[in-house]
Amino acid sequence: MKTYKRTLVTSALPYANGPLHIGHLAGAYLPSDLYTRFQRMRGTDIVHVCGSDEHGVPITIAAEREGVTPQQVVDRYHSLNKRTFERFGISFDHYSRTSSPVHHRTASDFFLKLLEKGVFKRKEEWQLYDAEKQMFLPDRYVKGTCPSCGHPEAYGDQCESCGTSLSPSELIDPVSALSGTPPEKRRTEHWYLPLGEFQEKIDTWIGSHPEWKPNVLGQCQSWIQAGLSDRAVTRDLNWGVPVPVDGADGKVLYVWFDAPIGYISATKEWAEAAGDPDRWKAYWQDEQTRLVHFIGKDNIVFHCIIFPAMLMAHGGFVLPEQVPANEFLNLEGRKLSTSRNWAIWVHEVIEETDPDLLRYVLAGTMPETRDSDFSWKEFQQRVNTELADVLG
């Protein structure tokens, strides 16, 4: 087994469009905190970074719904979630945000490096356009009927009823989520990452990690067997990291491309704050570093196929050594749903309950190999019997 000099731990960047619920904690943040604390006790050289994912359509949708700017939305939820993590005892070494100047520079430089190496394909294509709002419609701005299960409220990127990944063109009877009118098609141009060109390298690399969890390997193998295709790295939107080339006005880096680069920019900020600006390189560019991504199962493809392909294309970066993805936590037998307000909001519950009690129970019901369930009855029982009675 390979030995390492240091470990870098990342936790999936939470969207800054709402507060954290207990499903977030059980999926990516409590597991990473427990692992990091254990490694620190062993004397491991370990750094744990995270931050708010502040770009993408969910942010602009939240801003429009509330009648405020996207910056106001991310400022509010970044502060709330950062404070929530601190009060819950999640011990990040640095908690960043993707709207920071360091991240914008890092993401722009990463894009330009791939552009300089001739990695991207540039394509002109037809995309859905809302003539009433005078804008191209990102996938989340298109709603329609799911072609897989018939759910009438599917989004242009995914059906939240059956979980099928979609594109806006696959929806039946699509309408704009902004105006409610059927969109028209117009031509636009974007840069694409040719994932298919990295398929063999990705397949070989994943095959060298038989120790990964079955849910991780299974999802990766399913994507690889289906064949990896070109994936757009830019989109027509007015919120995000601007595409750093002439003639790209009104285009930003696609959030799936810019968000994982946030791990790199967060490590840079940590190094700067520590007074050693170049120290980040040891954690990203030295083969003696173990890189571990803690995520939920909905992020497996991005962290095990797409981000590694980006790192391979760039060159000079270590690849993930382990990606322990957790399944989902349900609440009282039902799937957590922020839109239906079926959730336990962490910032509220820690006002009434000792965070350590919730940490204990969530650690015992963590959805490591399959979806698990949280109930207040079990919470009460475990606190009273295991903590107050047995331990007390």
Side-chain angles (χ1 to χ4, degrees):
M1 179 180 290
K2 184 177 179 179
T3 57
Y4 295 90
K5 288 184 178 179
R6 67 191 70 80
T7 298
L8 176 64
V9 172
T10 74
S11 297
L13 307 185
Y15 259 132
N17 68 333
L20 298 164
H21 58 62
I22 61 169
H24 294 129
L25 293 179
Y29 308 110
L30 183 56
S32 60
D33 184 64
L34 297 174
Y35 175 79
T36 301
R37 286 172 179 270
F38 172 70
Q39 293 295 341
R40 286 175 184 151
M41 290 171 66
R42 297 182 67 198
T44 303
D45 178 351
I46 188 167
V47 173
H48 186 190
V49 298
C50 188
S52 296
D53 184 350
E54 300 185 335
H55 298 141
V57 174
I59 306 297
T60 57
I61 288 178
E64 288 170 12
R65 185 172 59 242
E66 297 178 23
V68 297
T69 66
Q71 190 65 55
Q72 288 174 301
V73 170
V74 299
D75 285 347
R76 182 197 324 149
Y77 288 115
H78 171 75
S79 298
L80 173 63
N81 292 341
K82 185 174 186 290
R83 187 167 64 251
T84 299
F85 279 132
E86 291 168 352
R87 294 187 61 196
F88 193 70
I90 304 297
S91 53
F92 298 126
D93 288 286
H94 186 71
Y95 190 76
S96 184
R97 57 193 307 187
T98 59
S99 64
S100 76
V102 171
H103 176 70
H104 274 236
R105 286 196 302 272
T106 303
S108 296
D109 289 346
F110 200 104
F111 175 90
L112 289 172
K113 178 69 171 181
L114 269 58
L115 186 67
E116 176 190 323
K117 294 180 71 173
V119 173
F120 296 131
K121 292 180 180 178
R122 197 168 178 176
K123 298 182 186 180
E124 196 174 69
E125 61 178 17
W126 293 95
Q127 285 194 358
L128 298 181
Y129 185 87
D130 187 328
E132 185 175 314
K133 295 292 184 179
Q134 296 188 329
M135 63 176 286
F136 284 98
L137 295 172
D139 41 27
R140 276 262 153 178
Y141 277 63
V142 184
K143 298 177 74 173
T145 300
C146 174
S148 295
C149 72
H151 180 60
E153 293 285 312
Y155 289 100
D157 62 342
Q158 186 179 42
C159 174
E160 295 191 346
S161 177
C162 68
T164 301
S165 294
L166 300 168
S167 65
S169 61
E170 293 178 287
L171 292 175
I172 300 169
D173 299 326
V175 296
S176 166
L178 294 176
S179 65
T181 61
E184 59 186 58
K185 288 186 176 181
R186 292 194 182 182
R187 296 192 74 83
T188 185
E189 190 174 51
H190 287 288
W191 287 263
Y192 283 74
L193 179 65
L195 282 176
E197 295 180 11
F198 296 89
Q199 175 153 338
E200 187 175 341
K201 290 178 69 175
I202 291 287
D203 192 15
T204 300
W205 170 68
I206 291 174
S208 70
H209 288 285
E211 75 282 3
W212 284 6
K213 294 169 69 170
N215 64 335
V216 175
L217 291 175
Q219 216 179 110
C220 291
Q221 288 160 359
S222 176
W223 270 66
I224 289 170
Q225 287 168 7
L228 303 180
S229 56
D230 298 347
R231 195 174 182 98
V233 302
T234 61
R235 74 187 323 181
D236 296 292
L237 201 63
N238 57 8
W239 176 250
V241 179
V243 175
V245 296
D246 293 336
D249 296 340
K251 297 184 189 297
V252 298
L253 299 183
Y254 217 138
V255 68
W256 69 259
F257 182 86
D258 107 71
I261 298 172
Y263 299 138
I264 302 172
S265 56
T267 315
K268 285 184 176 181
E269 291 176 357
W270 163 79
E272 288 179 4
D276 187 359
D278 289 332
R279 192 176 175 191
W280 71 272
K281 295 177 182 177
Y283 292 85
W284 278 102
Q285 299 180 332
D286 186 338
E287 291 296 331
Q288 292 299 308
T289 297
R290 176 194 289 110
L291 175 60
V292 183
H293 293 313
F294 281 87
I295 59 173
K297 65 179 177 181
D298 51 338
N299 272 319
I300 289 173
V301 169
F302 295 102
H303 289 75
C304 297
I305 292 180
I306 297 174
F307 188 42
M310 291 165 55
L311 297 174
M312 290 175 180
H314 186 287
F317 285 96
V318 298
L319 298 176
E321 178 63 22
Q322 183 59 265
V323 188
N326 271 3
E327 300 292 299
F328 291 152
L329 180 74
N330 296 321
L331 173 60
E332 305 281 359
R334 289 165 53 191
K335 184 178 179 181
L336 283 159
S337 172
T338 56
S339 61
R340 300 185 186 93
N341 201 31
W342 185 250
I344 296 174
W345 306 110
V346 183
H347 70 287
E348 293 178 350
V349 74
I350 58 179
E351 293 288 343
E352 307 291 335
T353 305
D354 185 334
D356 278 347
L357 302 183
L358 187 57
R359 282 176 65 101
Y360 174 80
V361 175
L362 285 178
T365 56
M366 206 175 285
E368 292 186 89
T369 57
R370 62 181 181 274
D371 290 357
S372 61
D373 190 69
F374 178 93
S375 72
W376 283 117
K377 183 177 180 180
E378 182 185 9
F379 174 84
Q380 181 183 40
Q381 180 182 16
R382 297 192 66 173
V383 169
N384 287 339
T385 60
E386 297 173 18
L387 294 181
D389 186 4
V390 177
L391 182 64

